[in-house]
Amino acid sequence: MRTLRSLYTTAAAASMLAVALPASAQQLSIATGGTGGVYYPIGGGFAEMINNHIEGAQATAEVTGASVENMGLIMRGDADLALVLADTAYQAYTGSGDFEGRQIENTRALASVYPNAVQLVTLADSDIETIADLVGKRVSVGAPGSGTELNARALLEANGISYSDFTPQRLNFNETADAIRDGDIDAGFWSVGPPTSSILNLAATRDIRLIGLSDEEIANAQEVEAVFAPYELEAGMYDGMDETVQTIGIPNVLVVNADMDEELAYQLTQLLFENIDELIAVHPAANDTTVEFTMGSTPVPLHPGALRYFEEVDADIPDRLRP
């Protein structure tokens, strides 16, 4: 496992949620994503909450290539928790798509945290107006092993565009923003909770434009990936963005290995939902972290410890979420 980067340390006293955990659960690693996305601050914020509230547990957040890599870390036991896109989690659990032949049946969820939005960005003076205009261009499709690349490829292929139609670049969020700014690429994809820091920083230095999707393009994408849903990026989200932009959204899931201690999984789930204001203070995407969102959006079964918490709060738990 790569070296973990601890985001937070604290001397705060344990709160009412403090519990003694098994020795094996003392050191927890949270697989996130790149520093220019939302996984990193969300994972770091949750690590801080664990350190503040669960006695004896110390959590650290790891910078990774995001969803696809994170599923491998969970499978191998190299991370205890991971943030992943719903379609990535589902493909891993079922052994489909990019995970054909390497099914990860021990995938379990604690919660769905917030929805990602697929954001296609170009410079304001670009001649790219639709995804069809990407043909012949230089386009970042996301970092290797990221959910962004899975989403971008699914969206494009569903609408008749393959990697052979343009020059794909596999760049992380910060690299994509820098390449657009410097004119090294023509457009780039992000699949991340909006607003995201790397696009905010790009919009502060260059005039940008976000490319919307038509109803037909969204419908085509939904035929390929059932977890895709229409999503509107609000006007004013980024500098120079004067109108709403229609795109697709995908839930993000907090996953663990099925072998996680049940009491630990229970405490982590309870901590997340009963102290959610602390995570909202880190990033506004956590406003969508609700029991209802988890019940409606989670694509893989819940861990028994998480199920125990949701049963205690009388959640309406679908059968598909019971292992």
Side-chain angles (χ1 to χ4, degrees), residues 44-60:
F46 194 46
E48 181 180 35
M49 290 166 64
I50 293 168
N51 296 342
N52 285 347
H53 296 300
I54 299 183
E55 184 179 350
Q58 285 294 308
T60 56

Side-chain angles (χ1 to χ4, degrees), residues 35-302:
T35 57
V38 177
Y39 281 5
Y40 188 68
I42 289 286
F46 194 46
E48 181 180 35
M49 290 166 64
I50 293 168
N51 296 342
N52 285 347
H53 296 300
I54 299 183
E55 184 179 350
Q58 285 294 308
T60 56
E62 181 182 2
V63 177
T64 72
S67 295
V68 176
E69 179 181 340
N70 290 356
M71 287 307 312
L73 293 171
I74 289 293
M75 176 187 68
R76 296 188 299 271
D78 289 338
D80 300 288
L81 303 93
L83 288 158
V84 299
L85 281 163
D87 55 346
T88 306
Y90 180 78
Q91 288 180 13
Y93 179 70
T94 59
S96 58
D98 275 20
F99 289 86
E100 187 172 352
R102 53 191 183 112
Q103 184 177 10
I104 307 177
E105 294 180 276
N106 59 355
T107 303
R108 295 293 182 268
L110 298 185
S112 286
V113 186
Y114 66 93
N116 267 18
V118 172
Q119 299 165 73
L120 176 57
V121 179
T122 188
L123 293 178
D125 58 1
S126 165
D127 61 357
I128 299 172
E129 301 287 345
T130 70
I131 58 172
D133 296 330
L134 296 177
V135 173
K137 304 296 187 182
R138 301 161 299 169
V139 183
S140 173
V141 294
S146 69
T148 292
E149 182 173 12
L150 285 182
N151 295 161
R153 186 167 60 196
L155 169 64
L156 293 172
E157 290 182 352
N159 286 283
I161 303 170
S162 71
Y163 277 13
S164 62
D165 293 321
F166 60 93
T167 304
Q169 302 290 313
R170 291 176 171 85
L171 308 176
N172 67 30
F173 292 153
N174 287 329
E175 291 168 343
T176 298
D178 290 345
I180 292 174
R181 181 197 64 206
D182 296 339
D184 294 330
I185 61 174
D186 301 297
F189 282 94
W190 278 255
S191 183
V192 64
T196 187
S197 60
S198 46
I199 300 179
L200 287 166
N201 293 338
L202 174 61
T205 59
R206 292 288 189 274
D207 293 333
I208 66 168
R209 182 159 40 81
L210 277 80
I211 306 302
L213 301 177
S214 69
D215 292 341
E216 181 181 0
E217 289 165 344
I218 291 173
N220 291 340
Q222 287 180 297
E223 289 183 7
V224 174
E225 290 289 352
V227 298
F228 287 161
Y231 188 95
E232 282 198 344
L233 299 164
E234 297 178 358
M237 180 172 291
Y238 301 110
D239 286 350
M241 186 175 166
D242 299 327
E243 299 179 348
T244 60
V245 173
Q246 180 174 255
T247 184
I248 51 177
I250 310 97
N252 288 286
V253 188
L254 184 62
V255 300
V256 299
N257 192 295
D259 293 336
M260 174 177 275
D261 176 76
E262 181 177 332
E263 178 64 19
L264 173 58
Y266 170 82
Q267 292 293 337
L268 291 170
T269 308
Q270 182 187 47
L271 174 64
L272 177 66
F273 286 99
E274 297 190 4
N275 293 264
I276 192 59
D277 287 350
E278 296 181 27
L279 202 55
I280 292 170
V282 173
H283 198 286
N287 278 293
D288 289 311
T289 306
T290 65
V291 170
E292 293 76 17
F293 182 61
T294 291
M295 295 302 106
S297 302
T298 306
V300 299
L302 294 165

